[in-house]
Amino acid sequence: MALATFKGGIHPPDKKDIAKDSAIKEAKSPQRVVIPLSQHLGAPCKPIVSIGQEVKKGEVIGEPGGFVSAPVHSSVSGKVIAIAEFPNTMGRMVNSIVIENDCKEEWTSLKDNPDYIKLSADELKEKVKAAGIVGMGGAAFPTLVKLSPPKEKPIDTIIINGAECEPYLTADYRLMLEKSSDIVEGLKILMRILGVNKGFIGIENNKPDAIDKMKDAAKNEPNIEVCGLEVKYPQGAEKMLISALTGREVPPRGLPMDVRVVVQNVGTALAVYEAARYGKPLIERVVTVTGEGIKTPANLMVKIGMLISDIVDQCGGFKDSAGKVVSGGPMMGFALSTLDVPVTKGTSGILVIPKEGVVHTEEFGPCIRCGRCIDICPMGLMPSMLSILSEKGHYEDAKEYNLFDCFECGSCAFVCPSKRPIVQFIRLAKSLTKP
């Protein structure tokens, strides 16, 4: 039987062997954390603590600045020592709260609820909201917003994204092996909130042990189906996942809710379960530390706000001088200009590439019209034209080629024989035009 998949896509080396056998281990608690007040899509939070104030682990330190927003909590107990702008992984200066860790690990009061599944949909939504949960696959879209579709957009299917198609990353894979039952419980809570009777868990077929674990965890849930997916990048993109599992096509510029679907990451499902069951806010996440340039690859449970420099130190540092350090995976991640930036709710990995593995694009060639980027574009776009128009400064003209349908998966740049920085050109055009 053919595996579920989508049209287009590429097959980059997955490199998951580097970290996949490292069980999740808790990172040592840092001396201080830098917690950005904007680590999600939407409005930044407003600080509700002051310098010198003592805070406990799990205490709210930033309130949402609007409906599309999510509260932030302290990931350590200690004292607030600064509220100021600090750089994030994308190089932007973001208002942040710095907390000196007293290493007492004192929690704020949490409400345990063993009968969480009996709570009403509104009560469960309130728990998701209070926990500050966002999409943990990288986009960091506030989960509450996804769980609040307008009445004219009813949802009938929820998909848990276990594809983890980005090369090198294994955080979701380890979660599926080690927290499979909790992830299924998270999916059941999401289904209850939206009144949905059908749930899928989609996993690429190169993770057979994770598929077996999740099937075993869901064996008594007739409304939940665990499906193997073809190994192909970007299989884990929302629109590709929906197409593969349901056969529905999200329209151009549309959202999954337009085809009655909500997609959540496995880490998000786990966070939803922990919020409903224990009242635990999202203050930590699993981060894959990997690549040929790191001494000890690992999958670490990291406190939000921990600096990447501290994580690299805990993994033994670089083998030699690193050529590039990337936040996220090699296809959609961002190269870091400094390691003194914090892990946020959307940080899935830290990839260390040695000097010999770095490809410089300063001397890229002209487009030779080979059409490879068009053949593999999962959105059916013409990346070649988008890059040419952007390179020439014709940003408005790029909109005629559906510029804003591109979700920047990087497949086009991967296959380009001229090594053109196609994604960077597309980002430039997007930044200088309006949808």
Side-chain angles (χ1 to χ4, degrees):
M1 181 179 170
L3 290 165
T5 191
F6 63 96
K7 187 179 178 183
I10 58 175
H11 297 86
D14 72 15
K15 305 273 189 177
K16 292 184 185 286
D17 285 346
I18 296 174
K20 78 180 183 65
D21 293 328
S22 298
I24 297 169
K25 189 173 69 174
E26 190 160 344
K28 284 186 284 187
S29 198
Q31 287 188 332
R32 64 182 60 180
V33 290
V34 179
I35 302 178
L37 289 164
S38 180
Q39 44 183 311
H40 48 261
L41 286 181
C45 287
K46 299 169 185 170
I48 58 168
V49 292
S50 54
I51 294 174
Q53 183 174 335
E54 300 281 348
V55 295
K56 292 185 177 177
K57 193 173 170 182
E59 186 173 330
V60 178
I61 56 174
E63 287 186 336
F67 175 64
V68 184
S69 187
V72 294
H73 306 73
S74 177
S75 57
V76 298
S77 59
K79 181 185 289 185
V80 176
I81 60 171
I83 301 175
E85 290 192 337
F86 289 86
N88 68 5
T89 54
M90 297 175 70
R92 287 173 44 216
M93 298 300 287
V94 177
N95 202 24
S96 308
I97 296 175
V98 184
I99 301 171
E100 191 80 40
N101 187 1
D102 63 12
C103 298
K104 295 179 181 174
E105 299 286 327
E106 283 188 277
W107 276 90
T108 189
S109 177
L110 302 181
K111 187 176 180 182
D112 190 10
N113 197 330
D115 292 327
Y116 58 91
I117 205 66
K118 295 179 181 175
L119 295 175
S120 70
D122 286 343
E123 287 171 324
L124 290 168
K125 268 176 73 174
E126 191 56 39
K127 286 185 173 293
V128 171
K129 178 183 178 182
I133 298 172
V134 303
M136 295 172 72
F141 193 80
T143 300
L144 177 69
V145 181
K146 277 192 175 183
L147 299 179
S148 308
K151 287 182 180 176
E152 65 272 20
K153 305 274 186 183
I155 304 298
D156 64 16
T157 303
I158 294 181
I159 296 174
I160 297 299
N161 183 359
E164 199 169 45
C165 59
E166 267 272 359
Y168 288 92
L169 302 186
T170 55
D172 290 349
Y173 167 73
R174 292 306 316 182
L175 280 177
M176 289 187 285
L177 289 184
E178 299 178 38
K179 299 281 186 182
S180 51
S181 296
D182 294 351
I183 292 167
V184 170
E185 289 303 304
L187 172 54
K188 287 165 59 181
I189 293 166
L190 293 166
M191 291 167 68
R192 180 163 174 77
I193 290 174
L194 288 170
V196 167
N197 292 318
K198 186 62 185 176
F200 288 102
I201 300 173
I203 307 170
E204 279 194 330
N205 212 35
N206 59 351
K207 308 173 186 70
D209 43 356
I211 293 174
D212 289 344
K213 273 279 188 181
M214 295 306 302
K215 280 186 174 178
D216 186 55
K219 62 185 177 186
N220 295 321
E221 306 296 338
N223 295 333
I224 294 177
E225 188 176 347
V226 179
C227 299
L229 304 166
E230 185 177 325
V231 181
K232 187 166 65 169
Y233 181 85
Q235 185 73 77
E238 279 190 338
K239 294 180 180 179
M240 280 67 254
L241 205 56
I242 293 169
S243 174
L245 291 174
T246 70
R248 303 174 191 173
E249 299 293 335
V250 180
R253 307 295 305 281
L255 296 169
M257 72 170 70
D258 293 325
V259 292
R260 307 183 304 283
V261 178
V262 162
V263 180
Q264 298 285 358
N265 167 268
V266 294
T268 311
L270 175 63
V272 166
Y273 164 70
E274 292 182 335
R277 172 67 177 81
Y278 305 109
K280 180 184 172 184
L282 181 51
I283 61 167
E284 59 185 5
R285 65 157 298 145
V286 179
V287 176
T288 301
V289 188
T290 184
E292 291 84 353
I294 190 80
K295 281 187 178 173
T296 309
N299 292 290
L300 297 178
M301 184 64 80
V302 174
K303 288 181 167 57
I304 302 300
M306 186 172 177
L307 296 182
I308 288 177
S309 54
D310 289 339
I311 297 172
V312 169
D313 286 345
Q314 288 193 24
C315 290
F318 302 138
K319 284 183 178 174
D320 295 303
S321 57
K324 184 187 286 187
V325 180
V326 176
S327 172
M331 301 301 293
M332 295 188 74
F334 290 87
L336 299 176
S337 58
T338 171
L339 298 184
D340 290 328
V341 290
V343 163
T344 63
K345 297 173 183 178
T347 306
S348 54
I350 299 166
L351 170 62
V352 182
I353 304 172
K355 275 187 178 177
E356 59 271 21
V358 176
V359 177
H360 296 281
T361 57
E362 291 90 346
E363 297 178 359
F364 62 87
C367 175
I368 59 173
R369 308 304 205 270
C370 67
R372 293 183 195 178
C373 60
I374 298 170
D375 289 342
I376 57 80
C377 178
M379 292 300 294
L381 305 178
M382 296 179 68
S384 52
M385 282 304 298
L386 292 172
S387 75
I388 291 168
L389 290 169
S390 179
E391 185 179 13
K392 302 295 183 187
H394 301 309
Y395 309 120
E396 287 293 330
D397 293 342
K399 289 161 68 173
E400 296 179 14
Y401 289 83
N402 301 312
L403 170 69
F404 285 95
D405 281 348
C406 172
F407 61 90
E408 304 169 17
C409 68
S411 298
C412 49
F414 182 81
V415 300
C416 178
S418 297
K419 305 299 178 190
R420 290 172 60 77
I422 298 175
V423 176
Q424 284 77 9
F425 278 133
I426 290 174
R427 285 179 183 155
L428 175 65
K430 283 183 177 179
S431 70
L432 295 174
T433 56
K434 291 182 179 178

